[in-house]
Amino acid sequence: ICTIKISDAELMGFCVKINIAKPVNDKIEKNGEFDEIDIGMWCYDKYSIRETDIYSKIDNGLYVAKVDANSLAEKSGIRVGDVINCADISKLQSVNDLKEIIFSRDNGENIIL
C-alpha cells in the first residue's frame, strides 16, 4: 500500500507491506476499529542501524535502542542493547517482521521474544 510518493524523485515512494496492512484491515472489518498494540520499545535492524550513531554491528535480529518506562517491553525484562532474534518461532531480519507478528495478534496475547 503506497503511503507517500515524492513527485520530484523518479520511482521513489514509501509503502506499507501487505503482511502488515492485511491484519489491520481484517481487525477493522471485524471490530470496526484497530487498537494498535504498543509494546514500548524502539528497535533497529541490520538495514536501519547503519543510519544511526549506534556502534553496534548486527547481522540478524533487532537491536533494542530504547525501552519506554513502565511499558510491556520493560516489564518483560527487555533492556537497551538487547538483540531480539526471534518472535515466537519466527526469525527476525527486519523491524517489519516484528510488526507483522504484533499486528496479527490481539491485545493480551503473548509473544515470546
Side-chain angles (χ1 to χ4, degrees), residues 22-44:
K22 185 167 179 357
V24 173
N25 185 62
D26 292 346
K27 288 179 184 176
I28 291 170
E29 285 181 353
K30 179 181 175 187
N31 305 324
E33 64 182 6
F34 173 69
D35 187 18
E36 185 174 352
I37 300 168
D38 180 9
I39 61 175
M41 68 179 182
W42 184 267
C43 297
Y44 292 106

Side-chain angles (χ1 to χ4, degrees), residues 42-52 54-65 80-86 92-95 97:
W42 184 267
C43 297
Y44 292 106
D45 54 34
K46 65 183 174 183
Y47 309 105
S48 60
I49 201 164
R50 297 178 197 147
E51 307 301 322
T52 71
I54 298 171
Y55 299 104
S56 178
K57 183 178 184 298
I58 58 171
D59 294 322
N60 297 301
L62 307 177
Y63 176 86
V64 179
V80 171
D82 287 350
V83 176
I84 301 170
N85 291 305
C86 295
L92 300 174
Q93 296 294 322
S94 72
V95 173
D97 293 344

